[in-house]
Amino acid sequence: MAKMEVKTSLLDNMIGVGDMVLLEPLDEDSFINNLKKRYDHNEVYTYIGSVVISINPYRSLPIYTPEKVEEYRNRNFYELSPHIFALSDEAYRSLRDQDKDQCILITGESGAGKTEASKLVMSYVAAVCGKGAEVNQVKEQLLQSNPVLEAFGNAKTVRNDNSSRFGKYMDIEFDFKGDPLGGVISNYLLEKSRVVKQPRGERNFHIFYQILSGASEDFLCKLKLERDFSRYNYLGLDSAKVNGVDDAANFRTVRNAMQIVGFMDHETQSVFEVVAAVLKLGNIEFKPESRVNGLDESKIKDKNELKEICELTGIDQSVLERAFSFRTVEAKQEKVSTTLNVAQAYYARDALAKNLYSRLFSWLVTRINESIKAQTKVRKKVMGVLDIYGFEIFEDNSFEQFIINYCNEKLQQIFIELTLKEEQEEYIREGIEWTHIEYFNNAIICDLIENNQTGILAMLDEECLRPGTVTDDTFLEKLNQVCATHQHFESRMSKCSRFLNDTSLPHSCFRIQHYAGKVMYQVEGFVDKNNDLLYRDLSQAMWKASHSLIKALFPEGNPAKINLKRPPTAGSQFKASVATLMKNLQTKNPNYIRCIKPNDKKAPHIFNDALVCHQIRYLGLLENVRVRRAGYAFRQAYEPCLERYKMLCKQTWPHWRGPARAGVEVLFNELEIPEEEFSFGRSKIFIRNPRTLFKLEDLRKQRLEDLATLIEKIYRGWKCRTRFLLMKKSQIVIASWYRRYAQQKKYQKIKSSAIIVQSYIRGWKARKLLRELKHQKRCNEAATIIAAYWHGTQARRELKRLKEEARRKHAVAVIWAYWLGLKVRREYRKFFRANAGRKIYEFTLQRLMQKYFLEMKNKMPSLSPIDKNWPARPYLFLDSTHKELKRIFHLWRCKKYRDQFTDQQKLIYEEKLEASELFKDKKALYPASVGQPFQGAYLEISKNPKYKKLKDAVDEKIIIAEVVNKINRANGKATSRIFLLTKNNVLLADQKSGNIKSEVPLGDVTKVSMSSQNDGFFAVHLKEGSGAAGKGDFLLSSDHLIEMATKLYRTTLSQTKQKLNIEISDEFLVQFRQDKVCVKFIQGSQKNGNIPTCKRKNNRLLEVAVP
């Protein structure tokens, strides 16, 4: 409970009023001002009892972090400040712990944040439920279904950049532990008319823009699409780009989400092919043409678009073209075929596009349900999340707005009924007397629309089924006859409008006074949109498609299952869906999120009072507050109530030992609160007036201040006493330590004095002994010195005698040596004078050479073969020696460097050397290839399971395996092929399937041609008359041209012992079957950057533009 005291309820630190039930005074102005005050302080959530009001902040707020999820996890609903997580946690815990199925109803107008609210609810439930591999997979699939449905079902409108144009109801299924098992999604009324036409300032569905922005060029080519939005009539250009929306990134997100949900690759491809077909249908245009019988018919202007659609869908072009031009009507056993004029043809085209996209969307929902449905058959608990259109009032309101607002009327009806039911059940459960509450019941409006005999939908269906001429005006006339007296229906001809002064109501309109306000509807298009007819010829044409998905979308096109019964109208289908939804919601415990849009600019920090006031009125929020306050404005369980207010009574403070209810009774009696202001339920206290609650809060605030003062006083006394005792204890410790210190100093002084006396006595004794020893030593040293002097005198006399004798002997030897030298010099003087110059020259050269080599030893360069340094020549006569020595040293260090190579490296350098001899200074691409190693096996065929079939088909060792582009002689376009070079053959294989397309023996390859420019194009010329030359030469393009040509040259030389001719020219001939085509290389700027492109100029010329 101490933890609850810190964050005990939304009453603490409250900005404005967190629960509108406690608002005083309660009126429209105070309601709006309270919302505005909280919105200005980033408080976007407010309660009305258990209902959450959510205001769209139009920016990211730091209130949805994992820390916030943990903060609201397993907390009481009113324990923390209002938040959507609190409602989500309450619903989840009720489902998990009390075994009650839940539904969360999210309502509000377009742009109010309903879709984001549903995402937050799902993400919170996913975060707090169980963990595990299977559970995490289910959670991820449930969450990733949102991006897929948003891409195909959402669009930018003038009010919302991500507006849901369909209604979505998701049932999330849980097991007994509260772990998700799966889910089921229901969709309601996709706005398919948006496919063919969008209002100004709005976009088509997101998926069209995402494909064109995010798909690769290759993928767009397969779908036969171009990236330019302006090429498609179904895409409005004024709002093609949306600020802050990255369609390319969203496309990658959608593809990843489809993979996570469980879509197979071929299913994803099929879906995008259908989307592309819908997009291209808008480009089909018709022209009038008169027949002989005088009837007008239509013809397609440009059949190229029709051809591409048929290629995408697998439909016979003639079948689809006839379906756009003729209509077959069957009546019993008769068939009548009529021509379609231009207007009818355009109607048929748009009807097909709308039906194709609508059925694709329904198929997507069904496919997602197959992936996310629960796999077990155990009993499940269900939590439903309803994200459906908000109430819509536009300048021009048509059939779509009519049924959307009808759905909102039904939701408002069930909201009032379930809210009153919840209030009544709580009062009965707590034993509180229930009083009847007056409120506006919109059942009369629902009956005006859905009554089976006199309802507007019934009149519309009756008019659609009536034989004869049926128009929107006849439908309006019928409404004027049947609904003229209804108080919520108005038109120019109705009785309720006779006394109106509003002349702005046109003749072709009618007005309904909804619970949210009056809405004027244009009857134009009501009959056609309710019929929603698709000509049977188009259905049968779609069923004949070889495209499996399109064929499955049109089962009624099967001639064997022709049903002449008219299909149900759109209005009756929607009415049945809404009835099923209402029945489903009534079986679950409801939780409400009411979303409000603060402004029309989709900008943060702007609060438009008039706009918010309008939404408050049509959402009925004030009525909701009055319903909650009609009995008691505030209710709370006894335990938290006693814990919050127990300090106001001496008997309950600080601890109450009895039951919580008894403590609350004692507390309220002590405070003398009037008995009519509260009632005691079985588990809760009910307070009638908010003023009573605020009085309790004021008393609590004052009491907390008094308690804080008391705690502060006690703390200060305790702190002073503690400080005094600490100082007293410290004084005793200091005194004891000082006495110890003084005694130690006295002892040290006495000890040092004794040591000094001892040292003086010991010094006197030592000096006395030293004097005695010195006297004895001097006597001994005197005798020794006298003896030494005598011995020295004797030794010097003997040494002098020996030296004199040695000098005489040395003088004799020196004289003899000089005499011998003189004789030798006289003998050889004549020889020395003859050879002295040569000897000196040879000696000098020897010394210079010795000096040169010693200096070279210290100045030798590094052992790197690329090091060009060499010591300077010191003498001119050593020039040839210096150069030869430099050459020998370079050869030696090159040999040392080569000795380090492995056999593989030697082979690579041999190939590099061969490439240098073939292409250096000849091909502009060669310098870029020098630093690139020759790898050969770029595809790793042996490791990649995709190429297992190709690996099994090739028995020889593969020298090079690379993806090349094979140039088509017809149009110059490139096709990807796998280029394989073995010891005996050159092979070309399909990149996708791995099937070998061509196999050429090396002996049949006569020449390879290429340009001198910086491109990768090359031609492989085959021997005329050989088996492989039937289709002609190969014109290929590769990113590793130098390596491929070098390996082909070496392999051919190794196997055939003949050099392969490498021709480098900017213009050469290529043999294609029986024709010779000139391939010419030119310089030019490219749209694709630095990528060379090939273009067919005529039957004899292919032109390659090189940047």
Side-chain angles (χ1 to χ4, degrees):
M1 298 304 291
K3 183 178 180 181
M4 288 180 62
E5 194 66 13
V6 177
K7 288 184 177 179
T8 180
S9 76
L10 55 83
L11 296 173
D12 289 327
N13 303 320
M14 188 165 54
I15 298 171
V17 178
D19 191 341
M20 288 294 188
V21 176
L22 305 178
L23 187 63
E24 276 293 325
L26 178 61
D27 54 43
E28 196 171 78
D29 292 337
S30 62
F31 194 99
I32 295 174
N33 290 334
N34 186 57
L35 288 178
K36 184 175 182 180
K37 182 177 181 181
R38 292 178 61 79
Y39 180 78
D40 291 340
H41 289 82
N42 295 329
E43 293 287 342
V44 296
Y45 296 111
T46 308
Y47 290 155
I48 301 178
S50 59
V51 178
V52 175
I53 301 175
S54 171
I55 304 180
N56 193 342
Y58 287 117
R59 61 193 178 99
S60 299
L61 295 176
I63 58 174
Y64 308 109
T65 59
E67 292 75 17
K68 276 289 181 182
V69 172
E70 290 301 320
E71 183 178 343
Y72 280 86
R73 186 174 186 175
N74 294 328
R75 292 294 191 97
N76 185 274
F77 186 74
Y78 295 103
E79 187 173 345
L80 300 173
S81 59
H83 202 292
I84 194 172
F85 287 168
L87 180 137
S88 305
D89 187 75
E90 183 78 11
Y92 175 70
R93 286 191 291 112
S94 297
L95 175 138
R96 182 191 63 191
D97 303 336
Q98 302 176 19
D99 204 18
K100 292 182 180 178
D101 287 348
Q102 304 289 317
C103 66
I104 298 177
L105 279 66
I106 307 172
T107 56
E109 74 171 45
S110 179
K114 301 185 299 300
T115 301
E116 290 301 319
S118 66
K119 291 181 186 176
L120 290 171
V121 170
M122 293 179 64
S123 63
Y124 179 85
V125 173
V128 300
C129 62
K131 301 291 188 287
E134 294 184 3
V135 173
N136 289 338
Q137 181 182 1
V138 172
K139 289 193 292 186
E140 188 67 16
Q141 286 184 336
L142 291 173
L143 293 175
Q144 291 300 325
S145 65
N146 278 326
V148 179
L149 295 180
E150 283 187 18
F152 287 87
N154 287 23
K156 178 199 178 297
T157 65
V158 292
R159 297 186 176 184
N160 187 2
D161 289 345
N162 188 31
S163 176
S164 298
R165 308 318 298 163
F166 71 103
K168 182 179 74 172
Y169 177 74
M170 173 181 281
D171 270 333
I172 307 174
E173 300 173 337
F174 298 84
D175 61 8
F176 69 96
K177 303 189 299 296
D179 295 340
L181 297 173
V184 179
I185 300 174
S186 302
N187 66 299
Y188 301 96
L189 190 66
L190 177 73
E191 188 189 6
K192 57 186 177 183
S193 61
R194 181 171 292 271
V195 173
V196 299
K197 184 179 180 182
Q198 307 91 41
R200 181 174 296 276
E202 299 190 4
R203 294 206 315 176
N204 211 322
F205 292 102
H206 292 327
I207 189 61
F208 296 114
Y209 305 92
Q210 291 174 359
I211 287 180
L212 297 182
S213 299
S216 64
E217 293 293 341
D218 184 50
F219 191 66
L220 287 178
C221 184
K222 291 179 181 178
L223 297 181
K224 304 186 183 303
L225 296 176
E226 298 180 20
R227 205 173 292 281
D228 186 7
F229 295 156
S230 62
R231 290 275 294 109
Y232 303 100
N233 298 331
Y234 280 166
L235 301 183
L237 299 180
D238 54 340
S239 298
K241 295 291 185 180
V242 182
N243 293 332
V245 176
D246 188 348
D247 289 319
N250 291 340
F251 179 70
R252 293 189 291 270
T253 302
V254 170
R255 296 202 68 171
N256 182 56
M258 294 178 75
Q259 185 177 6
I260 293 174
V261 170
F263 282 81
M264 307 298 290
D265 290 342
H266 71 275
E267 291 178 326
T268 304
Q269 180 70 23
S270 298
V271 168
F272 289 133
E273 287 173 351
V274 175
V275 174
V278 171
L279 201 55
K280 297 184 74 64
L281 274 174
N283 291 351
I284 296 179
E285 296 182 349
F286 302 93
K287 60 182 179 180
E289 188 173 300
S290 298
R291 303 182 69 183
V292 178
N293 57 9
L295 297 177
D296 290 336
E297 66 176 7
S298 61
K299 291 292 183 181
I300 296 175
K301 289 183 179 179
D302 184 5
K303 296 184 181 181
N304 186 47
E305 294 285 354
L306 181 66
K307 178 183 176 183
E308 292 183 348
I309 292 173
C310 293
E311 290 175 356
L312 277 173
T313 57
I315 302 174
D316 188 355
Q317 183 174 343
S318 60
V319 174
L320 187 56
E321 184 177 1
R322 175 175 175 79
F324 280 134
S325 302
F326 294 88
R327 179 186 179 188
T328 303
V329 179
E330 294 188 25
K332 296 183 180 179
Q333 302 299 324
E334 299 181 0
K335 290 185 179 180
V336 178
S337 180
T338 61
T339 59
L340 300 179
N341 57 31
V342 172
Q344 292 171 334
Y346 277 116
Y347 173 83
R349 180 201 69 178
D350 291 344
L352 176 60
K354 291 187 291 184
N355 273 271
L356 193 58
Y357 191 84
S358 175
R359 297 183 188 204
L360 171 65
F361 187 79
S362 299
W363 180 87
L364 280 172
V365 174
T366 304
R367 180 63 183 83
I368 292 173
N369 284 336
E370 291 177 1
S371 297
I372 66 176
K373 67 180 179 181
Q375 302 300 321
T376 59
K377 296 183 179 181
V378 298
R379 183 178 177 275
K380 309 176 187 68
K381 305 175 183 181
V382 178
M383 176 186 289
V385 180
L386 178 64
D387 174 12
I388 204 163
Y389 342 83
F391 198 89
E392 293 187 346
I393 304 177
F394 299 140
E395 292 183 4
D396 296 326
N397 301 288
S398 187
F399 179 74
E400 291 85 1
Q401 283 69 44
F402 175 73
I403 56 178
I404 286 172
N405 293 343
Y406 161 62
C407 180
N408 278 271
E409 287 284 358
K410 295 294 290 182
L411 289 174
Q412 177 69 8
Q413 184 181 24
I414 195 173
F415 171 71
I416 295 295
E417 290 178 358
L418 293 179
T419 301
L420 291 173
K421 180 181 177 183
E422 181 184 359
E423 284 286 303
Q424 185 175 8
E425 287 179 351
E426 183 174 19
Y427 283 5
I428 295 172
R429 185 169 60 249
E430 294 293 331
I432 304 297
E433 183 179 355
W434 168 258
T435 57
H436 179 69
I437 300 171
E438 293 295 335
Y439 67 95
F440 171 69
N441 190 345
N442 67 334
I444 185 172
I445 304 175
C446 297
D447 185 69
L448 169 65
I449 299 174
E450 67 181 4
N451 188 282
N452 291 330
Q453 281 77 33
T454 60
I456 295 177
L457 287 176
M459 295 300 100
L460 182 59
D461 286 348
E462 183 178 331
E463 194 67 13
C464 292
L465 298 175
R466 181 174 62 83
T469 303
V470 178
T471 64
D472 296 318
D473 292 334
T474 60
F475 164 63
L476 182 59
E477 290 176 4
K478 193 174 191 67
L479 288 183
N480 290 333
Q481 295 173 4
V482 177
C483 305
T485 59
H486 200 285
Q487 59 182 339
H488 291 275
F489 177 84
E490 300 173 5
S491 73
R492 283 232 176 208
M493 302 300 295
S494 66
K495 293 182 180 179
C496 290
S497 65
R498 290 179 181 177
F499 305 102
L500 292 177
N501 295 322
D502 184 10
T503 58
S504 63
L505 186 63
H507 290 281
S508 61
C509 299
F510 65 91
R511 182 186 291 136
I512 295 179
Q513 185 173 354
H514 290 280
Y515 77 93
K518 293 184 178 181
V519 183
M520 183 177 68
Y521 298 101
Q522 298 277 353
V523 295
E524 182 181 355
F526 262 63
V527 173
D528 286 340
K529 292 176 181 178
N530 189 50
N531 273 326
D532 193 23
L533 289 179
L534 179 68
Y535 297 152
R536 184 174 289 111
D537 302 75
L538 289 172
S539 298
Q540 293 176 350
M542 293 297 105
W543 188 84
K544 293 177 181 178
S546 61
H547 196 285
S548 58
L549 177 56
I550 293 181
K551 188 170 185 176
L553 295 180
F554 293 88
E556 74 276 12
N558 188 350
K561 299 180 180 180
I562 293 179
N563 185 5
L564 299 181
K565 184 178 178 181
R566 189 182 184 92
T569 62
S572 60
Q573 291 179 13
F574 187 72
K575 177 182 173 183
S577 299
V578 170
T580 303
L581 175 64
M582 297 302 119
K583 184 178 179 181
N584 190 1
L585 294 179
Q586 286 176 343
T587 62
K588 296 178 174 61
N589 184 49
N591 302 271
Y592 301 97
I593 301 174
R594 308 295 240 173
C595 298
I596 292 178
K597 181 170 64 173
N599 60 78
D600 280 328
K601 298 180 180 179
K602 297 180 278 190
H605 307 298
I606 299 177
F607 191 92
N608 189 323
D609 292 8
L611 179 63
V612 173
C613 177
H614 173 70
Q615 294 174 80
I616 289 173
R617 288 175 182 172
Y618 79 65
L619 287 174
L621 298 184
L622 278 174
E623 287 76 8
N624 190 9
V625 177
R626 292 190 180 104
V627 167
R628 295 285 300 191
R629 288 179 55 164
Y632 295 90
F634 182 76
R635 70 284 319 266
Q636 191 175 27
Y638 290 120
E639 289 80 2
C641 180
L642 180 62
E643 186 67 27
R644 185 170 183 82
Y645 301 112
K646 64 182 180 180
M647 72 287 297
L648 301 180
C649 176
K650 293 182 180 179
Q651 300 179 46
T652 58
W653 177 260
H655 300 292
W656 172 256
R657 302 299 181 185
R661 173 170 177 168
V664 174
E665 291 177 354
V666 170
L667 175 64
F668 275 57
N669 291 332
E670 179 74 18
L671 297 176
E672 297 181 354
I673 298 175
E675 293 184 359
E676 63 271 11
E677 288 296 321
F678 64 90
S679 293
F680 292 104
R682 292 187 175 91
S683 63
K684 296 180 180 179
I685 176 71
F686 289 77
I687 298 176
R688 186 179 301 277
N689 200 310
R691 287 191 296 272
T692 304
L693 179 65
F694 295 144
K695 179 182 177 182
L696 287 174
E697 286 295 314
D698 292 339
L699 293 173
R700 179 177 179 271
K701 183 177 180 182
Q702 182 61 42
R703 181 57 178 161
L704 288 176
E705 292 177 356
D706 296 341
L707 290 174
T709 304
L710 177 62
I711 293 171
E712 185 178 6
K713 180 184 71 173
I714 295 173
Y715 171 74
R716 286 178 177 175
W718 170 82
K719 187 175 181 181
C720 290
R721 285 193 299 273
T722 304
R723 185 171 182 274
F724 168 74
L725 293 175
L726 181 61
M727 290 177 66
K728 182 180 178 181
K729 183 179 179 182
S730 300
Q731 187 272 334
I732 294 172
V733 172
I734 291 170
S736 64
W737 275 89
Y738 177 74
R739 286 193 293 269
R740 176 185 175 187
Y741 170 74
Q743 291 298 322
Q744 286 178 343
K745 292 291 288 183
K746 184 178 179 181
Y747 167 75
Q748 292 292 340
K749 188 175 181 180
I750 296 171
K751 182 179 179 182
S752 61
S753 301
I755 291 173
I756 291 172
V757 172
Q758 289 179 352
S759 65
Y760 273 102
I761 295 173
R762 292 192 183 106
W764 174 76
K765 287 184 176 181
R767 286 190 296 274
K768 181 180 179 183
L769 179 60
L770 180 61
R771 283 195 297 269
E772 293 176 354
L773 291 174
K774 283 183 177 181
H775 178 71
Q776 185 180 356
K777 183 179 180 182
R778 281 197 295 271
C779 294
N780 294 333
E781 286 179 351
T784 303
I785 290 171
I786 294 169
Y789 270 99
W790 169 249
H791 292 309
T793 303
Q794 295 293 327
R796 284 191 293 274
R797 290 176 181 173
E798 183 64 23
L799 179 62
K800 185 177 180 182
R801 186 185 65 78
L802 292 175
K803 283 182 177 181
E804 186 65 28
E805 185 178 352
R807 277 196 298 270
R808 287 195 295 268
K809 290 181 180 181
H810 179 67
V812 174
V814 170
I815 294 170
W816 178 250
Y818 270 98
W819 168 248
L820 290 179
L822 178 61
K823 290 177 68 176
V824 171
R825 283 191 296 273
R826 288 177 180 175
E827 184 70 23
Y828 291 98
R829 184 171 294 167
K830 56 183 177 181
F831 298 106
F832 178 74
R833 287 175 181 171
N835 298 318
R838 187 172 58 83
K839 292 287 185 181
I840 293 171
Y841 175 75
E842 291 177 355
F843 176 77
T844 303
L845 285 180
Q846 184 179 2
R847 292 298 297 164
L848 288 176
M849 292 292 291
Q850 184 179 8
K851 181 180 178 182
Y852 167 70
F853 283 114
L854 289 174
E855 289 178 352
M856 286 293 294
K857 176 183 177 183
N858 298 326
K859 295 181 181 180
M860 292 295 270
S862 66
L863 295 180
S864 174
I866 62 175
D867 189 355
K868 301 296 184 180
N869 296 324
W870 186 249
R873 181 194 62 202
Y875 306 106
L876 181 62
F877 72 91
L878 292 175
D879 183 59
S880 59
T881 304
H882 193 70
K883 291 180 180 179
E884 183 66 18
L885 188 61
K886 178 180 178 181
R887 186 185 68 82
I888 294 172
F889 177 77
H890 180 67
L891 294 175
W892 174 77
R893 66 181 177 182
C894 288
K895 182 179 183 303
K896 294 288 289 184
Y897 183 77
R898 290 194 301 273
D899 290 343
Q900 300 174 3
F901 291 164
T902 62
D903 294 339
Q904 182 67 24
Q905 289 175 322
K906 289 181 180 178
L907 180 61
I908 291 173
Y909 279 100
E910 287 175 1
E911 290 179 347
K912 284 289 185 179
L913 183 60
E914 194 78 60
S916 174
E917 294 174 355
L918 291 174
F919 302 109
K920 186 175 182 181
D921 299 329
K922 299 177 184 177
K923 177 71 174 172
L925 190 65
Y926 171 73
S929 70
V930 173
Q932 299 177 355
F934 288 175
Q935 298 181 12
Y938 289 95
L939 297 183
E940 297 183 347
I941 292 179
S942 60
K943 298 180 181 179
N944 195 334
K946 179 180 177 181
Y947 303 117
K948 183 177 183 302
K949 181 178 179 182
L950 181 60
K951 177 177 175 295
D952 296 339
V954 179
D955 298 331
E956 301 175 284
K957 178 183 177 182
I958 297 175
I959 299 173
I960 186 168
E962 162 67 345
V963 175
V964 301
N965 291 322
K966 181 176 179 293
I967 308 304
N968 191 334
R969 68 179 291 262
N971 50 21
K973 292 186 178 180
T975 305
S976 295
R977 291 285 187 267
I978 297 176
F979 183 92
L980 298 178
L981 174 63
T982 65
K983 289 185 177 180
N984 297 307
N985 298 289
V986 174
L987 299 96
L988 286 178
D990 186 80
Q991 185 183 6
K992 293 183 178 178
S993 63
N995 294 328
I996 296 176
K997 296 292 186 180
S998 302
E999 183 173 358
V1000 181
L1002 289 179
D1004 292 345
V1005 178
T1006 61
K1007 183 174 65 174
V1008 174
S1009 298
M1010 63 188 72
S1011 74
S1012 63
Q1013 301 185 38
N1014 192 17
D1015 63 275
F1017 286 83
F1018 67 101
V1020 179
H1021 300 273
L1022 305 181
K1023 184 186 296 183
E1024 294 185 6
S1026 63
K1031 295 183 179 180
D1033 301 336
F1034 297 124
L1035 180 58
L1036 309 172
S1037 174
S1038 171
D1039 294 336
H1040 303 91
L1041 170 60
I1042 301 299
E1043 179 181 358
M1044 295 180 68
T1046 302
K1047 289 184 179 289
L1048 181 60
Y1049 178 85
R1050 288 174 59 84
T1051 307
T1052 304
L1053 180 61
S1054 174
Q1055 295 299 318
T1056 64
K1057 307 303 180 183
Q1058 295 179 355
K1059 292 184 178 181
L1060 180 64
N1061 184 16
I1062 304 293
E1063 179 185 351
I1064 299 178
S1065 174
D1066 288 345
E1067 188 172 335
F1068 53 82
L1069 295 176
V1070 179
Q1071 183 78 30
F1072 283 134
R1073 295 188 183 274
Q1074 303 301 323
D1075 300 330
K1076 286 190 177 182
V1077 177
C1078 177
V1079 181
K1080 184 177 182 180
F1081 293 82
I1082 63 172
Q1083 294 286 337
S1085 59
Q1086 297 298 315
K1087 297 181 180 179
N1088 297 329
N1090 295 325
I1091 303 175
T1093 57
C1094 184
K1095 189 174 182 181
R1096 183 65 180 264
K1097 287 296 184 179
N1098 52 53
N1099 290 336
R1100 298 294 181 180
L1101 177 61
L1102 276 174
E1103 192 174 86
V1104 180
V1106 182

